């Protein structure tokens, strides 16, 4: 059973974003709240989170931001590390299941009510899709939960989130935005993450290689059930396709 979070719907979320987008982080910290008069809960499907749970989640995420130089501007590497730590934290601690994590207005509440200071610190003068209920693949927090969910390996010995740092932000965004065309296969995405470091693709070529890889997997998915393959067979299949793509594009170092 999922935890149910407050949902902040479109008009109110847009009004808050318009108010907050030009504010300093310290001002936004004072705007943080555990509830909003316009937020709603769904009637069924889980257990509503208590304010104590929301406060605990805020404190944990804020602590990770402080490690990355919050409230002051951080480095690119620091922000990337913050994303990875918060991805794991949200997935482990939020209590969300995929159906609830797909509700965009839940993420709008977290960004604009619970954690506005952290959201706009992470993306100063954030465009709307980073904080509103419009696009989870771009959302400051929603995309992190999904990154952890798609790359978590429940059967791993040791850190089951070891794969979440394999792809850079833009590379993972490509995978996330095309996950439905891959049949939503977490197994395939994890296999690709295991293969990726071995390919030796330079950062500047990642988008090109991934775009071609995802096209090929989409076509292959019409005849192959990736979820039915064992780890060894799937890994071999992914490695063969990946090698073909990199060789064809002549991008090996």
């Amino acid at each position: 059973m999922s935890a149910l979070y407050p949902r902040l719907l479109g008009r109110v979320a847009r009004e808050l974003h318009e108010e907050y987008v030009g504010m300093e982080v310290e001002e936004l910290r004072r705007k943080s709240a555990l509830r909003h008069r316009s937020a709603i809960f769904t009637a069924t499907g889980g257990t509503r989170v208590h304010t104590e749970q929301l406060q605990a989640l805020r404190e944990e995420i804020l602590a990770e931001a402080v490690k990355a130089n919050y409230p002051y501007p951080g480095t690119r590497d620091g922000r990337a590390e913050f994303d990875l730590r918060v991805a794991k934290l949200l997935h482990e601690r939020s209590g969300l299941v995929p159906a609830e994590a797909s509700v965009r207005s839940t993420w709008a509440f977290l960004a604009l009510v619970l954690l506005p200071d952290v959201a706009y610190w992470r993306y100063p003068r954030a465009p709307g899709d980073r904080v509103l209920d419009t696009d989870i693949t771009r959302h400051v927090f929603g995309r992190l939960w999904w990154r952890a969910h798609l790359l978590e390996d429940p059967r791993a010995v040791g850190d089951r989130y070891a794969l979440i740092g394999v792809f850079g932000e833009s590379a993972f965004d490509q995978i996330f935005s095309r996950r439905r065309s891959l049949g939503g296969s977490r197994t395939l995405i994890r296999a690709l993450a295991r293969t990726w470091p071995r390919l030796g693709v330079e950062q500047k070529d990642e988008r090109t290689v991934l775009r071609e890889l995802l096209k090929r997997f989409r076509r292959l998915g019409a005849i192959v059930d990736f979820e039915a393959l064992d780890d060894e067979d799937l890994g071999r299949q992914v490695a063969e396709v990946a090698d073909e793509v990199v060789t064809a594009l002549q991008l090996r170092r």
Side-chain angles (χ1 to χ4, degrees):
M1 182 175 292
S2 179
L4 301 179
Y5 281 72
R7 301 178 180 187
L8 191 69
L9 302 183
R11 179 183 60 79
V12 176
R14 288 191 297 273
E15 289 173 355
L16 287 178
H17 173 54
E18 289 168 7
E19 178 185 352
Y20 290 172
V21 70
M23 286 186 177
E24 297 295 327
V25 171
E26 198 54 46
E27 292 180 274
L28 290 164
R29 185 202 286 258
R30 294 192 290 271
K31 296 287 187 180
S32 170
L34 301 177
R35 56 176 63 87
H36 191 280
R37 65 182 182 278
S38 297
I40 63 171
F41 282 94
T42 187
T44 60
T47 303
R48 294 184 181 187
V49 294
H50 300 296
T51 55
E52 293 83 2
Q53 293 170 280
L54 291 172
Q55 181 65 41
L57 185 63
R58 172 176 167 78
E59 290 174 359
E60 289 187 273
I61 292 176
L62 185 60
E64 296 299 343
V66 168
K67 293 176 186 176
N69 211 39
Y70 168 101
Y72 308 105
T75 64
R76 181 174 180 177
D77 287 346
R79 291 190 296 270
E81 285 299 316
F82 167 82
D83 282 354
L84 296 181
R85 291 193 299 265
V86 172
K88 180 178 177 180
L89 191 159
L90 282 169
H91 197 255
E92 285 186 318
R93 307 292 179 81
S94 66
L96 289 167
V97 299
E100 280 299 309
S102 297
V103 177
R104 295 171 295 179
S105 51
T106 291
W107 298 113
F109 176 86
L110 290 183
L112 292 163
V113 178
L114 187 65
L115 291 152
D117 50 334
V118 178
Y120 289 95
W121 163 80
R122 176 61 181 84
Y123 290 103
R125 301 197 66 82
D129 57 4
R130 290 297 188 185
V131 295
L132 297 175
D133 59 348
T134 53
D135 183 358
I136 293 178
T137 69
R138 297 271 296 163
H139 195 277
V140 58
F141 299 124
R143 67 188 175 83
L144 298 182
W145 188 96
W146 278 99
R147 183 174 187 163
H149 183 68
L150 292 173
L151 289 167
E152 176 203 20
D153 186 352
R155 294 181 295 177
V157 176
D159 183 7
R160 68 181 194 271
Y161 294 103
L163 296 174
I164 66 173
V166 169
F167 300 109
E169 180 179 353
S170 61
F172 179 75
D173 286 350
Q174 277 199 84
I175 295 169
F176 186 26
S177 63
R178 292 166 174 79
R179 69 192 186 283
R180 290 190 177 87
S181 68
L182 300 174
S185 175
R186 296 171 69 194
T187 303
L188 174 59
I189 293 170
R190 288 197 301 266
L192 178 56
R194 294 188 190 100
T195 298
W196 187 254
R198 176 180 74 71
L199 299 179
V201 177
E202 294 186 19
Q203 187 174 9
K204 66 182 178 64
D205 297 319
E206 283 187 348
R207 292 181 65 85
T208 301
V209 174
L210 267 176
R211 185 165 53 247
E212 185 60 31
L213 267 173
L214 296 174
K215 284 180 186 176
R216 296 197 184 201
F217 286 131
R218 187 167 61 246
R219 292 195 294 267
L220 194 58
I223 56 174
V224 175
D225 181 358
F226 298 118
E227 297 293 327
L229 299 176
D230 62 33
D231 286 348
E232 185 176 345
D233 287 341
L234 180 58
R236 188 181 307 113
Q237 182 96 67
V238 168
E240 288 174 0
V241 173
D243 284 337
E244 289 172 5
V245 167
V246 173
T247 300
L249 295 174
Q250 298 182 331
L251 293 176
R252 287 202 183 278
R253 288 177 182 169

